[in-house]
């Protein structure tokens, strides 16, 4: 079963890399994009993955910064998802470049007025932060593995632990854990504005575009962040439900996640309602036309089935119906449904803006297959997308197997806090 | 030099046509035919003589006709502006919608001048139809790059590959552009298009020579080859900067059959464009966005 799973992923990955090779050799003519409909599937997946990353990371900060102990078990999954999703986002924005070989210029030539250039720097800093936090929460287990591990895991842990070894005495261990907890908390606190910046900023890329009234709206970055939280919570729910094995109080953890999911979906629906009702009521043609496309036009199916159905109604029902809310499998499926639904949300955030000509009559002024306001992803776009996603899942799965992610929670925050209480009572005794 | 000769020939040709029209109207058909013969005669003689004249000596200019006043004036103003430092020029275009007949000559001339591939167009002409039969009117609106004073497109470029130059032209450095297409989304006028690396003869047995000819945008030679800039870059109208610096008006101005497009330096208070800007028919596209275009329309 596992072998089949990896074989499938590997096949898809190779297929995707072949398509990617064609794309890199032939340039962007392999896409279905046009000069007027200039961003498509890859940009949709780019913001989807950045959102997934920011959402997972914010979930991890709730655990480590705001001490949501009930969710402590999924902290590492959340951080690792944040890392891989961000890498995925960067891969998709990379393959969307006309001259990918010049990507380094975005790091060297710094146009301070560009939101995009700030975002790229934000992403890189954010990767470092996630890596640092991930190392801190796992260093004890990695150190253990480096000492007592078996097989290939041992040298791997030796490298990844960066020389860190847990202390021999329990006193020393407590101190180390306390230090790690403190640093995780500090990094988490730094990470909150950073994750908000990473995805709110990604939303701002679109929101600052005065040429597209559909995007040029201050609610857009907020929608980006909230739907990121939905996708992050959904991903962690899905992963924990299906891949964490049998752990104690698994259902309890999943129920807490489901509650968060319900909360995020609720806020997301509120924002979508606000955006569409205000926009449609105001009736400015350039704004209304894309909204019509979403609600009753070419994006209607994606909206009602994906954005409303899969991303909201299905998970809400699964998380609240008495028959399903007590089953870890159903809750996991609620997560999966929400993840797929958020892809639809991302599609409807980007693509409808391109359906309206910037000036009326421009669509007929010069007839050319690359000067239209219609877009369907080409076969190459679909293949590279599926391949890159398979590649990410493959890497994630391998990491999942290699690293101590679910079993053995190294943070033991209760211990650490118990110790503080203990010390506190001792000093009180002394004073007495 | 051969380029300049071709230019002269083309101008002569259009001037001759204009002259024919004028004479036909004013003097009547019979009288006109006589003069016409005389005109074509002198032209032929000049063209023949030109072959023997050394390359350095320009051929004498033919007599002026009233329709040419504008273009001669703009030409002189262009030379005057070129004497000034770059930062003191402010290139401006004025398009008279009532004179535009919607022939799309400018679109095609621009395509040819800049060797534009499929999917790339710098100056499409939009058509609008008003009313119901029998009360119908059409209006035409050529749409070059607006060369905004506050361009929304240059702001978003992550690599500073596009900017508004000192003389007011919004330019792209093809060698710097990474092809992210953010600027295309950011332009409220749809004036930026992408070079997809396609050819008009894609899917046919033979690629034609005209498709692989280099363009001379930004006074550089850009041979057309796979993966080589400007392929996979954003492209846009640049007011024919390579022609301007050589003392020639933009191709759309020169080629306009109705003399509906004017070009010049609006920092020069005596220029034709400065004169036209002081007109109650004046408007600019999407003025409400605060982009302050350098392309004006007379509606």
């Amino acid at each position: 079963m596992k072998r089949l799973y990896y074989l499938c992923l590997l096949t898809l990955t190779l297929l995707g890399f072949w398509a990617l090779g064609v794309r890199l050799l032939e340039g962007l003519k392999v896409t279905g994009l046009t000069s007027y409909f200039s961003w498509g599937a890859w940009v949709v997946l780019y913001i989807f993955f950045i959102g997934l990353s920011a959402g997972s990371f914010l979930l991890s900060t709730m655990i480590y910064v705001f001490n949501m102990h009930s969710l402590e078990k999924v902290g590492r999954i959340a951080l690792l998802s944040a890392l891989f999703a961000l890498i995925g986002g960067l891969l998709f924005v990379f393959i969307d470049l006309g001259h990918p070989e010049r990507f380094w210029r975005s790091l060297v030539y710094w146009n301070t007025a560009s939101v995009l250039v700030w975002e790229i720097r934000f992403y890189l800093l954010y990767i470092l932060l996630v890596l640092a936090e991930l190392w801190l929460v796992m260093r004890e287990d990695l150190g253990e593995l480096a000492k007592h591990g078996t097989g290939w895991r041992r040298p791997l842990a030796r490298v990844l632990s960066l020389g860190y070894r847990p202390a021999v005495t329990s006193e020393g261990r407590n101190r180390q854990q306390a230090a790690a907890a403190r640093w995780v908390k500090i990094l988490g606190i730094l990470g909150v504005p950073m994750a908000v910046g990473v995805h709110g900023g990604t939303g701002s890329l679109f929101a600052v575009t005065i040429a597209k009234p559909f995007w040029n709206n201050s609610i857009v970055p907020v929608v980006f962040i909230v739907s990121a939280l939905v996708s992050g919570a959904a991903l962690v729910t899905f992963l924990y439900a299906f891949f964490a094995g049998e752990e104690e109080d698994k259902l309890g953890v999943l129920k807490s996640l489901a509650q968060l999911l319900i909360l995020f979906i609720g806020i997301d629906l509120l924002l979508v309602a606000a955006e569409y009702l205000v926009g449609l009521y105001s009736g400015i043609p350039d704004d209304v036309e894309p909204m019509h496309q979403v609600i009753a036009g070419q994006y209607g199916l994606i909206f009602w089935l994906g954005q409303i159905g899969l991303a909201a109604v299905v998970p809400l029902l699964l998380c609240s119906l008495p028959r399903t809310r007590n089953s870890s499998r159903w809750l996991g499926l609620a997560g999966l449904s929400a993840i797929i639904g958020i892809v639809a949300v991302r599609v409807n955030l980007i693509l409808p803006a391109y359906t309206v000509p910037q000036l009326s009559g421009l669509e007929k002024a010069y007839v050319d297959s690359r000067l239209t306001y219609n877009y369907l992803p080409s076969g190459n776009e679909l293949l590279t997308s599926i391949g890159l996603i398979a590649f990410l899942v493959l890497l994630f799965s391998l990491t999942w197997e290699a690293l101590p992610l679910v079993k053995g929670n190294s943070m033991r925050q209760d211990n650490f806090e118990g110790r503080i209480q203990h010390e506190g009572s001792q000093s009180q005794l002394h004073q007495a | 030099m051969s380029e300049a000769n071709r230019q002269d020939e083309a101008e002569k040709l259009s001037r001759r046509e204009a002259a024919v029209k004028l004479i036909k109207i004013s003097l009547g058909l019979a009288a006109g035919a006589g003069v016409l013969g005389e005109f074509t005669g002198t032209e032929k003689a000049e063209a023949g003589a030109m072959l023997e004249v050394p390359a350095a000596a320009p051929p004498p200019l033919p007599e002026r006709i009233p329709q040419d006043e504008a273009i001669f004036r703009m030409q002189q103003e262009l030379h005057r502006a070129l004497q000034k430092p770059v930062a003191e020029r402010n290139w401006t275009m004025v398009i008279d919608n009532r004179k535009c007949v919607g022939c799309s000559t400018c679109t095609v001339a621009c395509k040819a001048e800049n060797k534009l591939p499929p999917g790339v167009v710098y100056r499409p002409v939009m058509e609008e139809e008003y009313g119901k039969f029998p009360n119908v009117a059409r209006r035409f609106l050529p749409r070059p790059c607006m060369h905004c004073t506050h361009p929304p497109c240059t702001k978003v470029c992550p690599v500073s590959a596009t900017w508004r130059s000192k003389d007011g032209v919004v330019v792209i450095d093809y060698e710097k552009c990474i092809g992210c297409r953010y600027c295309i989304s950011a332009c409220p006028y749809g004036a930026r298009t992408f070079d997809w690396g396609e050819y008009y003869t894609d899917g046919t047995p033979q690629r034609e020579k005209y498709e692989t000819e280099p363009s001379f945008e930004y006074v550089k030679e850009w041979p057309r080859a796979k993966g080589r800039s400007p392929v996979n870059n954003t492209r846009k109208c640049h007011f024919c900067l390579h022609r301007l610096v050589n003392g020639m008006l933009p191709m759309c101005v020169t080629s306009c059959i109705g003399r509906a497009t004017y070009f010049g330096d609006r920092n020069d208070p005596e220029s034709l464009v400065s004169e036209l800007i002081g007109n109650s028919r004046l408007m600019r596209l999407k003025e409400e966005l605060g982009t302050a275009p350098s392309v004006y329309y007379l509606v």
Side-chain angles (χ1 to χ4, degrees):
Chain A
M1 185 65 187
K2 194 183 253 182
R3 192 169 288 177
L4 187 71
Y5 169 74
Y6 278 108
L7 203 69
C8 281
L9 281 181
L10 198 66
T11 317
L12 289 175
T13 305
L14 290 177
L15 215 61
F17 273 75
W18 169 76
L20 186 59
V22 172
R23 178 257 167 271
L24 291 176
L25 284 175
E26 294 295 318
L28 287 181
K29 73 168 154 200
V30 300
T31 67
L33 295 166
T34 76
S35 281
Y36 295 150
F37 207 127
S38 49
W39 277 343
W42 290 333
V43 170
V44 167
L45 287 168
Y46 148 65
I47 62 164
F48 168 73
F49 276 106
I50 299 290
L52 204 56
S53 175
S56 306
F57 181 81
L58 287 172
L59 192 72
S60 84
T61 59
M62 286 181 185
I63 297 160
Y64 294 123
V65 179
F66 302 109
N67 298 325
M68 291 178 80
H69 295 305
S70 56
L71 290 178
E72 226 167 81
K73 283 182 176 160
V74 296
R76 297 175 183 196
I77 302 177
L79 278 175
L80 195 75
S81 314
L83 179 69
F84 278 93
L86 192 83
I87 293 171
L90 292 181
L91 280 176
F92 275 107
V93 79
F94 172 76
I95 67 166
D96 190 63
L97 294 180
H99 281 275
E101 79 281 3
R102 296 183 189 161
F103 84 97
W104 57 272
R105 285 178 176 270
S106 62
L107 300 170
V108 179
Y109 298 96
W110 189 331
N111 176 15
T112 48
S114 173
V115 182
L116 186 53
V117 85
W118 284 96
E119 276 311 297
I120 292 165
R121 278 155 186 80
F122 250 112
Y123 297 153
L124 296 181
L125 271 180
Y126 170 82
I127 282 194
L128 291 179
L129 187 123
V130 172
L131 276 175
E133 210 172 305
L134 204 53
W135 181 79
L136 278 170
V137 297
M138 300 217 308
R139 66 177 189 176
E140 186 169 333
D141 287 356
L142 286 172
E144 283 293 342
L145 261 180
K147 258 189 194 166
H148 310 296
T150 50
W152 53 270
R153 280 193 178 81
R154 195 170 167 186
L156 182 75
R158 218 172 257 179
V159 175
L160 291 180
S161 64
L162 302 174
Y164 175 86
R165 296 288 175 273
V168 190
T169 61
S170 65
E171 188 80 352
R173 277 202 179 199
N174 277 344
R175 211 176 303 127
Q176 283 178 333
Q177 280 168 6
R182 195 175 66 238
W183 275 107
V184 166
K185 204 164 193 171
I186 292 171
L187 287 179
I189 291 168
L190 285 176
V192 172
M194 195 160 262
V196 170
V198 157
H199 208 52
T202 306
S204 306
L205 287 182
F206 301 93
V208 299
T209 308
I210 57 167
K212 308 265 184 260
F214 182 64
W215 295 342
N216 189 210
N217 187 326
S218 44
I219 210 170
V220 165
V222 186
V223 171
F224 267 66
I225 293 170
V226 175
S227 43
L229 285 168
V230 174
S231 65
L235 178 68
V236 173
T237 310
F238 167 69
L239 288 175
Y240 189 67
F242 286 104
F243 301 100
E246 283 311 312
E247 290 206 330
E248 58 174 303
D249 198 29
K250 188 170 176 178
L251 192 62
V253 174
L254 282 172
K255 277 184 167 177
S256 307
L257 281 170
Q259 277 169 358
L260 278 179
L261 196 59
I262 291 176
L263 173 72
F264 296 150
I265 290 175
I267 303 174
D268 204 24
L269 281 178
L270 185 70
L271 293 176
V272 170
E275 186 182 358
Y276 278 79
L277 292 178
V278 171
L280 289 169
Y281 183 90
S282 307
I284 300 169
D286 284 356
D287 202 10
V288 166
E289 185 45 39
M291 289 189 178
H292 271 305
Q293 297 287 353
V294 170
I295 286 176
Q298 51 179 316
Y299 296 99
L301 215 60
I302 296 174
F303 180 75
W304 292 110
L305 288 185
Q307 191 163 351
I308 299 298
L310 289 176
V313 176
V314 172
L316 283 181
L317 284 179
L318 288 179
C319 291
S320 48
L321 284 180
R323 276 187 63 182
T324 51
R325 72 174 179 220
N326 288 318
S327 142
S328 55
R329 187 165 301 163
W330 280 114
L331 290 178
L333 283 177
L336 182 64
S337 165
I339 299 169
I340 298 169
I342 293 294
V343 179
V345 172
R346 301 306 183 198
V347 168
N348 279 346
L349 274 168
I350 307 298
L351 303 189
Y354 289 107
T355 55
V356 191
Q358 295 93 330
L359 297 165
S360 66
L362 196 56
E363 73 279 16
K364 281 182 272 175
Y366 194 97
V367 180
D368 188 312
S369 62
R370 294 284 188 189
L371 292 171
T372 66
Y373 290 86
N374 300 308
Y375 162 74
L376 268 181
S378 70
N380 184 286
E381 279 174 277
L382 292 177
L383 263 185
T384 45
S385 302
I386 292 168
L388 278 186
I389 292 170
F391 177 59
L392 285 168
V393 175
L394 185 68
L395 284 184
F396 186 86
S397 304
L398 289 174
T399 317
W400 180 284
E401 290 204 8
L403 295 180
L405 279 170
V406 246
K407 277 170 199 147
N409 193 336
S410 74
M411 288 307 294
R412 287 188 205 127
Q413 212 138 10
D414 332 308
N415 277 4
F416 161 57
E417 271 168 17
R419 196 170 59 89
I420 291 180
Q421 275 174 359
H422 180 65
E423 277 176 0
S425 57
Q426 269 189 337
S427 61
Q428 273 172 0
L429 275 175
H430 277 293
Q431 279 170 357
Chain B
M1 183 60 212
S2 66
E3 173 94 17
N5 276 348
R6 244 180 285 139
Q7 194 52 46
D8 286 346
E9 295 242 339
E11 270 179 26
K12 255 188 241 164
L13 219 67
S14 66
R15 227 171 282 129
R16 193 173 72 204
E17 278 163 12
V20 168
K21 274 183 198 161
L22 176 78
I23 288 158
K24 270 185 188 168
I25 295 159
S26 57
L27 298 180
L29 208 62
V35 186
L36 174 66
E38 202 186 306
F39 254 91
T40 29
T42 47
E43 292 277 340
K44 267 180 196 153
E46 270 168 24
M50 224 175 67
L51 297 174
E52 288 134 41
V53 175
L61 290 169
E63 252 177 276
R64 290 190 192 183
I65 54 166
Q67 279 83 346
D68 277 345
E69 282 310 318
I71 207 132
F72 275 114
R73 182 173 167 191
M74 289 190 286
Q75 193 78 50
Q76 275 167 356
E77 287 166 4
L78 178 64
H79 279 270
R80 198 157 71 222
L82 287 173
Q83 314 292 315
K84 299 196 289 185
V86 180
E88 285 172 32
R89 307 167 197 158
N90 199 350
W91 299 124
T92 299
M93 188 172 277
V94 181
I95 299 171
D96 191 334
N97 282 9
R98 290 193 198 168
K99 285 190 178 173
C100 177
V101 296
C103 67
S104 290
T105 300
C106 54
T107 314
V108 177
C110 167
K111 271 257 183 189
E113 170 68 25
N114 295 302
K115 320 287 189 310
L116 301 184
V120 181
V121 63
Y122 290 172
R123 191 184 157 103
V125 178
M126 300 184 297
E127 295 185 24
E128 282 176 293
E129 205 172 296
Y130 296 90
K132 261 186 177 172
F133 181 81
N135 303 311
V136 199
R138 289 169 91 195
R139 189 171 78 178
F140 306 100
L141 194 102
R143 203 270 6 248
C145 169
M146 297 294 124
H147 296 280
C148 304
T149 313
H150 308 294
C153 54
T154 60
K155 212 157 62 169
V156 300
C157 177
V159 296
S160 309
T162 179
W163 62 91
R164 183 175 187 266
S165 62
K166 286 177 194 161
D167 49 0
V169 181
V170 176
V171 298
I172 299 176
D173 185 337
Y174 290 151
E175 300 284 3
K176 269 189 171 183
C177 169
I178 59 174
C180 73
R181 311 190 297 294
Y182 195 0
C183 56
I184 298 183
S185 298
C187 174
Y189 306 99
R192 284 173 174 255
T193 51
F194 196 74
D195 191 332
W196 303 93
E198 290 179 323
Y199 293 89
Y200 293 98
T201 51
D202 276 350
T204 67
Q206 199 189 335
R207 188 159 291 169
E208 294 296 332
K209 192 165 166 284
Y210 72 88
E211 297 186 281
T212 49
E213 290 282 299
S215 84
F216 293 93
E217 295 171 275
Y218 308 109
V219 212
K220 261 190 206 166
E221 194 173 336
W222 302 96
R224 192 160 179 78
K226 194 181 199 173
R228 190 167 166 175
S229 284
V231 171
N232 288 322
N233 284 131
T234 298
R235 300 180 70 171
K236 62 180 284 298
C237 156
H238 35 66
F239 273 168
C240 278
L241 211 52
H242 57 290
R243 286 171 60 90
L244 290 184
V245 296
N246 285 307
M248 288 182 274
L249 289 163
M251 200 57 188
C252 50
V253 179
T254 313
S255 62
C256 180
I257 66 159
R259 207 58 85 218
T261 297
Y262 305 97
F263 186 83
D265 173 19
R266 77 170 177 277
N267 277 358
D268 175 358
E270 280 163 19
S271 68
L272 180 58
V273 287
S274 292
E275 220 170 81
L276 291 170
I277 286 171
N279 189 312
S280 60
R281 285 162 59 203
L282 199 78
M283 70 129 208
R284 292 190 284 186
L285 292 178
K286 298 195 180 183
E287 188 101 66
E288 70 277 12
L289 295 180
T291 50
S294 295
V295 174
Y296 294 78
Y297 292 90
L298 297 172
V299 291

